Amino acid sequence: SLLFPRAKKVMPGGVNSPVRAFNAVGGDPLFIKQAKGSRMIDVDGNEFIDYVGSWGPLIFGHAHPEIVTAITRQAELGTSYGASTELEIQLAEKVVAAVPSIEVVRMVNSGTEAVMSALRLARGITGRDKILKFEGCYHGHADSLLVKAGSGLVSLGIPECPGIVSSLAEKTLTLPFNNIDRVRELFEKEGKEIAALIVEPIGGNMGVVPPKPGFLEALSEVTKKAGALLIFDEVMTGFRVSLGGAQKLFGVTPDITCMGKIIGGGLPVGAYGGSRQVMDYISPMGSVYQAGTLSGNPLAMAAGNVMFDLLSKDGVYESLEEKSAKLCQGLKQNVEDLGIDAQFTRVGSMFSMFFTSKEIVDFETVKTCDTDFFKRYFNGLLEEGVYIAPSQFEAGFMSAVHTDEEINLTIEASRKALTAARG
C-alpha cells in the first residue's frame, strides 16, 4: 500500500499504536478499508479471516447490524454531551448484575484509564505506595505499569520504557506469573507497604497464559491478610471468557475489577468497579479524584448495551467454546503431523500457539519461543488470507460469527504456512 510512506511522515513509525507496526514480523502494516463479520478488507482489496477482532472486543464480529443501528440512532441524537444519560445507568446495571465483585462501577474511556484510576483508588484507600504486578502482564501504558510489561514492548524489543519517573518505577514490584511462593515471600517482607496486587487473571498480553489451579485463590488470601487490595485487570477477559469475566469462571472475587474493550461493543470504553465501600472513595463521594469529559460517552454506552443483550442470549459462550476448540484441535493436529514444536493454550475463545517445546506457565517460558519461525508463519498465513496478531506474544480471539467453513479454511491455511515456515 502507498499509505505507509504517507503515514510515516505524519505519525511516529506511521502508526497510532506500536503493535500495529509489524516490526516483529517484517513488511508493511495492513491498512484496513472495511470489515464485516469475521472478515476484513485492506485498502489493496485483500480479504482476511480475522482472529484479532480489534484485540478482543469484537465478540460478535465487525459491524454487527444491531450494534451499528444503535450507534447510528444515538449519533443522530448527539455524539457527546459531557452530561449524564440513561444509557450509562442501563449499562452500569448490566455490569453490576453480571460481575460478582462489582456493586458500583465508574465508566472511563480506555483500559489504561481504568487501571490507572484503580491504582490511584487502591493507594488512596490504603495510604500505601507500592504496587505488585507480574512479568509479562500488560496493564496499559500508565507510568507505574510499564515495568516488565509484556505485549508490544516485547515485540519491539524495548527492555524498559524511558520517560518514566524512577521513583514511580521503584514503587512497582514485579514477580513471575503463576509463582505463588515468590508472592508469599514478598508479602512477608513488604506486605505492609503494598497498596495493591494487580493481575490479569488469565495472562493475555504475553499470549494466553492460564493461571495454575489455586494461584488466584492464593493471591486473594495473601492480599486480604496484608490489607492490600486485589485488582483483576479483566480488560481482555471480562465478558470474553464468561458473562461474569474470569472471576466468575474461577470463582475468585477481587476488590477492584478493571474492564474495557467488550463493554463498548467495539467503541473506546473502559470501566472499573468494586464494592460500594471501595467505590465510595471516588469523587464526588470521596476524595480520590478521577474525571473525564467523554466518560460514559453515549455512542459507546449505546453500543455496549446492545453488546450485553447479545452476550446474554442462550448458547453464546457454548458456541464460542465449540468453535475455539475446533480451531485449536485442527491447529494442534497440524503441528503434530509436521513434527513442529508448539504449545497451545486456550481459555474459552482466547487462544495462543507458542513455538517452543517448553510448557507455558509465565513470561520466562513464553520468551523461549522461536520468534523467527513465528515471523515466517505469520507471513505465510497472511498470504493465505488469515490475519492473526502480528506478534508471537499476543492472544488470538474467536468470534461468534466465524463459520465452520472459515475455521476449516484457517486450519488448511495454517498447515500451508507451517510447512512453508519449516522450509
Side-chain angles (χ1 to χ4, degrees):
S1 154
L2 299 172
L3 293 182
F4 195 41
R6 247 177 84 193
K8 283 195 285 196
K9 285 181 185 160
V10 287
M11 297 188 281
V15 292
N16 278 317
S17 191
V19 186
R20 295 176 197 170
F22 277 37
N23 284 12
V25 289
D28 291 355
L30 296 184
F31 283 80
I32 304 302
K33 188 177 182 184
Q34 65 184 94
K36 182 87 178 129
S38 57
R39 306 261 178 160
M40 292 200 306
I41 299 171
D42 71 8
V43 289
D44 299 319
N46 301 305
E47 190 171 312
F48 303 96
I49 303 172
D50 176 25
Y51 290 98
V52 179
S54 186
W55 304 92
L58 301 180
I59 211 160
F60 293 98
H62 296 273
H64 187 284
E66 288 178 51
I67 293 175
V68 171
T69 301
I71 296 169
T72 312
R73 198 174 289 154
Q74 178 53 48
E76 286 168 352
L77 302 172
T79 55
S80 173
Y81 311 128
S84 302
T85 64
E86 190 182 355
L87 292 167
E88 294 169 80
I89 306 169
Q90 289 166 345
L91 188 55
E93 285 168 345
K94 289 169 186 174
V95 170
V96 168
V99 184
S101 65
I102 297 183
E103 292 175 346
V104 177
V105 64
R106 167 66 59 88
M107 297 292 170
V108 290
N109 298 294
S110 68
T112 289
E113 205 182 315
V115 170
M116 198 173 78
S117 310
L119 291 188
R120 182 182 301 155
L121 174 57
R123 285 173 164 148
I125 290 172
T126 59
R128 302 170 180 179
D129 287 344
K130 288 183 178 172
I131 300 293
L132 170 60
K133 72 176 286 289
F134 293 96
E135 291 164 13
C137 285
Y138 174 73
H139 302 290
H141 61 88
D143 279 7
S144 324
L145 292 164
L146 277 183
V147 181
K148 294 192 177 166
S151 200
L153 290 167
V154 202
S155 300
L156 297 166
I158 300 170
E160 295 301 343
C161 176
I164 290 172
V165 181
S166 55
S167 58
L168 250 182
E170 283 157 21
K171 302 282 187 226
T172 306
L173 313 167
T174 55
L175 287 177
F177 188 72
N178 268 329
N179 190 329
I180 196 59
D181 293 339
R182 294 281 302 275
V183 174
R184 290 202 168 100
E185 272 167 39
L186 184 70
F187 267 88
E188 285 295 309
K189 282 211 292 270
E190 311 204 35
K192 289 186 167 59
E193 294 171 50
I194 296 174
L197 181 161
I198 184 164
V199 64
E200 289 183 272
I202 300 160
N205 283 289
M206 45 182 161
V208 177
V209 182
K212 284 181 178 171
F215 178 63
L216 298 175
E217 290 84 342
L219 296 182
S220 177
E221 171 204 322
V222 169
T223 47
K224 265 193 184 60
K225 194 175 151 194
L229 297 182
L230 176 60
I231 302 174
F232 272 10
D233 176 348
E234 294 231 39
V235 167
M236 198 177 275
T237 53
F239 316 115
R240 175 150 284 275
V241 295
S242 90
L243 195 58
Q247 56 194 268
K248 182 97 183 217
L249 196 65
F250 296 116
V252 179
T253 308
D255 299 295
I256 303 173
T257 299
C258 300
M259 289 170 296
K261 300 194 198 289
I262 290 175
I263 58 165
L267 272 75
V269 79
Y272 63 104
S275 67
R276 181 167 301 281
Q277 190 187 354
V278 162
M279 294 304 285
D280 274 354
Y281 280 87
I282 292 286
S283 55
M285 289 296 287
S287 53
V288 177
Y289 192 75
Q290 179 268 311
T293 300
L294 288 167
S295 298
N297 171 268
L299 292 180
M301 298 298 100
N305 273 303
V306 174
M307 175 64 96
F308 247 98
D309 297 343
L310 292 169
L311 285 172
S312 305
K313 288 182 176 165
D314 281 350
V316 168
Y317 289 97
E318 290 78 0
S319 162
L320 281 166
E321 172 66 32
E322 215 171 285
K323 290 174 199 273
S324 309
K326 180 179 173 171
L327 176 68
C328 289
Q329 270 158 358
L331 297 177
K332 207 173 197 168
Q333 193 62 57
N334 284 342
V335 297
E336 283 169 13
D337 292 350
L338 294 167
I340 291 165
D341 278 334
Q343 303 292 316
F344 289 84
T345 56
R346 182 175 73 83
V347 182
S349 57
M350 294 170 62
F351 55 88
S352 285
M353 171 158 60
F354 297 98
F355 292 111
T356 175
S357 54
K358 290 229 186 323
E359 188 200 350
I360 297 291
V361 291
D362 58 14
F363 194 39
E364 284 307 308
T365 48
V366 165
K367 284 197 295 190
T368 63
C369 285
D370 183 343
T371 50
D372 282 337
F373 189 93
F374 175 82
K375 180 178 179 172
R376 297 195 295 276
Y377 175 66
F378 170 85
N379 286 299
L381 276 183
L382 212 54
E383 270 175 41
E384 294 293 329
V386 174
Y387 180 58
I388 60 168
S391 159
Q392 169 70 90
F393 310 109
E394 295 285 357
F397 301 99
M398 179 62 73
S399 84
V401 295
H402 280 88
T403 63
D404 275 354
E405 188 197 359
E406 286 171 328
I407 292 167
N408 289 334
L409 284 171
T410 303
I411 293 166
E412 204 177 307
S414 175
R415 181 177 283 262
K416 286 182 188 167
L418 288 165
T419 307
R422 198 182 52 174

